Amino acid sequence: MHGRVKVRTTEEERERKKKEQALKVRAYRAAMGRIQKKREAGELDNEMLSLTVQILLRNPDVSTLWNIRRECVLEKLSRLKEEETTCETPSEEKPEEEIQTGEDKPSEKKAAAEDKVHSIFTCELDLTEQCLMVNPKSYNAWHHRCWTLEQNPRADWQREVQLCNKYLKFDERNFHTWDYRRYVTGKAMVPAAQELDFCTEKIRVNFSNYSSWHHRSLLLPELYPNQQRDRPISEEKLQKELEMVLTAAFTDPNDSSAWFYQRWLLGSGAQLDRAPRIAAFRLESHGAVLALDKPYPDITQLKTELVGGGQTILLESWLPVDKRGTSWKCQQNFDYQRNSTYSFRLSEQKVDLLPLSGSENGAYYFAPPHGTASCSKDLLAELQTQLQSCLDLLEFEPDSKWTLLTSALLMRAIDFSANHETSLAHLAKLEKVDSLREGYYKDLAARWTLEWELAKWPQSADFPKRFDIADDVLLESLPYDQYLVIADEITLPNKLRNKLGKSAPKTFADLKLQS
C-alpha cells in the first residue's frame, strides 16, 4: 500500500508467520481438493457454496471458485424453476367456496418463488461486498458482482451507486470502483451532469486522481459536444476546463494526472471508432492509389467510386500497399478524359480531384494531417495565457518535464507552423531531462516534423510528383508515410533511408501497373 512504512521483523516473528502460512496452505489445499471432488461429482449444493466462501473471504482472486459459485447459482435457479413447474397443476372444477378462498394462492406462490430467487442473488452480493473489503481491487469480485446484478431481475442499481460512493471514500483513486461506477450509473440512468458534479468534488478533494480526470473526459464530450469534431469538447467549456486544470497542475507540477488531462483537452478529439478519411488519392488511366488517415483492414467493405467523364465507376480489385492497411492500390484501367472533372467517393465522403500539372494525364487529391485546430479569439487568448504561465514556471524549474512537454503542446495548439522549431527544441531538451522516455520524444518529434513537411508540400513546384526532406532534418522514423504514396519520387535524409531499408515507403511510380 502507498505510504506504508516497511517494518523489519525478527527471526522469531518470521518463523511464526512461516508456520501460520504453512497451516493456511494446508487448509487451502484440503478445501480445494474437496471442492474439486464435489464438482466432478456434480454436487453443486450448499456445502459447495460454504466451502468456496471459506477461501474467497481470505483470497477473493481465485477465479475458479467464482466460476463454481456461478454454476451453483444457476443450478439453484434451475431447481426452483422445476419446483415451480411441478407445483402447477391443470385447473379442475372446484367448489365455489374453495375457489374464493384460494384465488390468491397462485400469486402468493409466485411472490414466494421470486423472493427465493432474490435471496440467492442477495447472498452473492453480500459475499462480494465482504470480499471487496478484503481486497477493493479484486477483478474477480467486481466481475462476479456485475454478473449477479445482470441475472437479478430485481437489481437495485441506486444502491450500487451508493456503494461506489462508500468505496470511493476509502480510496478515491481506485480505478476498479470508477470503472464499476460507470457501469452502474448507466444502469441507474444517473444524469451525466450529476456525475460531472461528483467528479468535480473528487478532484477538489485530491487533484492527483487519474481515474476522476479520466471519468471527466468521458462525460464532457456527451454534455458539451463539439460539432466540428476538431476538439474534444465545445470551445466555451474547453476554456473553463483549461483554467481549472492549470490550477491543479501548478499546485504540484511534478504530479502527472492533471498534465495528462490537459493534454487530452489540447488534443484533436479524434473518434477512434469513426470511419477512415481520405488522406491522398491519385488516378491515372492504368490504375489508382489511395491513402487513408487511419488503418482499415479491408477496404472492400467500403464503397469506392470514381465520378467523372459522364459516368460513375465502381472501383474494385484493391490490393494493400502496406501491412497496416493505410495504403491501397487499384488494378483497374480507366478511360481518363483530360478535359473532364473527376471526384472520388469513399462511402459517405466525397472529394474533388485536381488535374496533374503539365502534359501528364491524371488527377489527385491531398489533405495533410492537421497540426492545429481552429479556435476563437477567447480560446486563443486562454491558450496564450497558459503558455505564458508554463514559460514563467520554466524560469524557476527549467527541467520540469511536464511543463516542458505541455508548453510544446500549447505552442502547437496556438500556431504549429510559427512555433515549430521552438516546440522541437523543447522535445530535444526532454530527451536529456527524461532520458527513460527518449524514444517517445524522438517519435513525437518525427510526427511533428512530418506534419510540418506535409503541410508545406502543396506549395512546392513539383507537388505532388516529388517529395523532398532536407538531409539535415533529424528524423528517427517516418510516420504518415502513407501520404507519400501519390509521389513519383521521394528524397529522404540518408541516415533515415538507410535505417528504413526495404521498409521505405512505396511511390506511385513503384506501384504503376502496366495495362
Side-chain angles (χ1 to χ4, degrees):
M1 295 294 288
H2 298 290
R4 295 283 181 87
V5 179
K6 185 177 180 180
V7 179
R8 296 187 181 277
T9 57
T10 63
E11 187 63 35
E12 183 181 348
E13 182 70 13
R14 280 196 293 270
E15 191 63 30
R16 185 184 65 79
K17 288 186 176 180
K18 187 176 179 180
K19 289 180 180 179
E20 286 182 0
Q21 186 66 21
L23 289 173
K24 289 179 181 178
V25 170
R26 194 177 297 117
Y28 170 80
R29 288 176 176 172
M32 285 298 292
R34 176 65 179 153
I35 288 170
Q36 292 295 348
K37 286 181 181 179
K38 288 181 69 65
R39 192 185 196 188
E40 290 170 3
E43 299 175 6
L44 303 174
D45 51 19
N46 289 331
E47 183 189 359
M48 174 74 91
L49 290 171
S50 298
L51 288 169
T52 58
V53 168
Q54 295 173 20
I55 300 176
L56 289 172
L57 286 177
R58 290 175 173 81
N59 180 11
D61 294 317
V62 186
S63 303
T64 302
L65 297 184
W66 291 111
N67 289 335
I68 291 172
R69 288 196 71 86
R70 285 190 278 275
E71 291 174 2
C72 291
V73 169
L74 293 175
E75 179 67 18
K76 273 192 167 187
L77 295 175
S78 177
R79 288 176 184 173
L80 284 174
K81 192 171 184 181
E82 288 177 5
E83 291 175 5
E84 187 179 351
T85 305
T86 305
C87 291
E88 291 178 358
T89 55
S91 59
E92 299 176 357
E93 293 185 5
K94 299 178 181 179
E96 185 176 349
E97 292 181 5
E98 187 177 342
I99 294 174
Q100 290 176 353
T101 56
E103 61 182 1
D104 290 331
K105 285 185 178 180
S107 61
E108 289 175 1
K109 288 180 179 178
K110 185 177 180 182
E114 289 178 354
D115 288 340
K116 287 182 181 179
V117 170
H118 186 65
S119 67
I120 292 173
F121 292 127
T122 301
C123 181
E124 295 304 301
L125 292 175
D126 290 343
L127 175 61
T128 57
E129 197 165 342
Q130 292 176 63
C131 289
L132 289 170
M133 293 300 291
V134 176
N135 180 10
K137 297 184 178 181
S138 171
Y139 286 93
N140 294 289
W142 286 114
H143 173 70
H144 189 73
R145 193 171 187 88
C146 291
W147 179 85
T148 303
L149 290 164
E150 287 289 348
Q151 304 297 315
N152 187 1
R154 289 162 58 179
D156 187 349
W157 297 106
Q158 290 294 340
R159 181 183 180 277
E160 297 305 303
V161 175
Q162 295 304 316
L163 183 73
C164 290
N165 293 343
K166 172 184 172 182
Y167 279 107
L168 288 174
K169 285 181 180 178
F170 297 146
D171 181 4
E172 69 272 5
R173 301 195 303 177
N174 186 348
F175 70 88
H176 298 266
T177 312
W178 281 102
D179 191 45
Y180 184 71
R181 185 182 182 86
R182 278 188 286 277
Y183 164 69
V184 297
T185 51
K187 293 288 187 178
M189 293 184 288
V190 177
Q194 183 178 324
E195 270 300 280
L196 187 64
D197 291 340
F198 179 83
C199 243
T200 305
E201 178 187 340
K202 288 299 174 184
I203 289 171
R204 285 174 179 167
V205 171
N206 184 0
F207 283 139
S208 182
N209 192 333
Y210 290 89
S211 297
S212 188
W213 289 115
H214 174 65
H215 193 56
R216 193 176 188 84
S217 72
L218 298 176
L219 294 168
L220 286 172
E222 179 184 347
L223 290 168
Y224 304 94
N226 181 9
Q227 300 301 327
Q228 288 74 30
R229 294 194 172 187
D230 56 351
R231 298 213 179 263
I233 55 178
S234 65
E235 284 203 357
E236 183 180 355
K237 185 61 178 176
L238 178 63
Q239 188 174 342
K240 294 178 180 177
E241 290 296 301
L242 284 169
E243 292 173 1
M244 182 183 76
V245 77
L246 185 66
T247 303
F250 275 54
T251 301
D252 183 3
N254 293 320
D255 184 82
S256 58
S257 57
W259 294 113
F260 271 118
Y261 181 69
Q262 186 184 48
R263 185 167 186 179
W264 173 76
L265 292 173
L266 297 174
S268 61
Q271 304 297 316
L272 296 177
D273 58 347
R274 68 166 175 80
R277 297 194 182 103
I278 304 167
F281 179 81
R282 183 171 169 183
L283 166 74
E284 287 188 3
S285 57
H286 55 261
V289 292
L290 169 65
L292 304 174
D293 69 339
K294 60 181 290 188
Y296 200 79
D298 186 7
I299 199 173
T300 58
Q301 297 178 6
L302 303 175
K303 190 175 182 180
T304 53
E305 292 180 323
L306 182 67
V307 181
Q311 57 183 333
T312 299
I313 304 170
L314 181 65
L315 303 186
E316 298 174 318
S317 305
W318 288 102
L319 294 173
V321 175
D322 57 25
K323 294 180 181 179
R324 304 190 311 274
T326 55
S327 303
W328 299 82
K329 63 180 179 180
C330 179
Q331 295 178 305
Q332 191 170 336
N333 293 327
F334 308 99
D335 181 18
Y336 180 78
Q337 300 175 21
R338 186 174 178 81
N339 296 326
S340 299
T341 58
Y342 287 87
S343 61
F344 174 66
R345 183 181 291 120
L346 176 69
S347 293
E348 302 300 321
Q349 186 184 4
K350 182 180 178 181
V351 296
D352 295 326
L353 305 182
L354 299 174
L356 290 171
S357 59
S359 58
E360 194 170 348
N361 288 334
Y364 71 93
Y365 169 81
F366 179 74
H370 296 289
T372 303
S374 59
C375 58
S376 64
K377 289 183 179 180
D378 291 338
L379 178 58
L380 182 61
E382 178 60 33
L383 293 173
Q384 290 171 336
T385 300
Q386 298 226 343
L387 175 58
Q388 188 57 51
S389 297
C390 286
L391 295 177
D392 292 341
L393 180 59
L394 285 174
E395 291 184 7
F396 297 97
E397 298 187 37
D399 293 339
S400 172
K401 67 176 184 179
W402 294 112
T403 315
L404 280 167
L405 181 57
T406 302
S407 59
L409 293 168
L410 285 165
M411 289 176 194
R412 290 182 59 77
I414 293 168
D415 188 342
F416 89 102
S417 58
N419 297 314
H420 177 63
E421 294 297 333
T422 310
S423 59
L424 288 182
H426 278 225
L427 292 185
K429 184 172 183 180
L430 280 164
E431 292 176 25
K432 299 176 182 178
V433 172
D434 189 18
S435 58
L436 290 176
R437 277 158 284 277
E438 179 183 0
Y440 166 73
Y441 298 124
K442 286 182 177 179
D443 285 344
L444 189 58
R447 292 185 67 84
W448 290 359
T449 300
L450 261 294
E451 288 174 4
W452 167 245
E453 296 290 343
L454 289 171
K456 294 190 303 178
W457 191 21
Q459 282 74 52
S460 65
D462 297 325
F463 175 76
K465 297 179 183 179
R466 182 183 176 89
F467 178 78
D468 294 321
I469 298 181
D471 199 51
D472 59 349
V473 175
L474 298 177
L475 282 174
E476 293 291 328
S477 59
L478 190 67
Y480 300 114
D481 58 342
Q482 73 268 29
Y483 285 75
L484 307 180
V485 75
I486 63 173
D488 287 325
E489 187 178 349
I490 301 173
T491 303
L492 301 175
N494 290 329
K495 184 179 179 181
L496 177 62
R497 181 168 288 279
N498 292 334
K499 185 176 182 179
L500 293 174
K502 293 182 179 180
S503 63
K506 301 291 185 183
T507 65
F508 188 78
D510 295 332
L511 300 171
K512 277 189 177 181
L513 303 173
Q514 301 299 326
S515 56

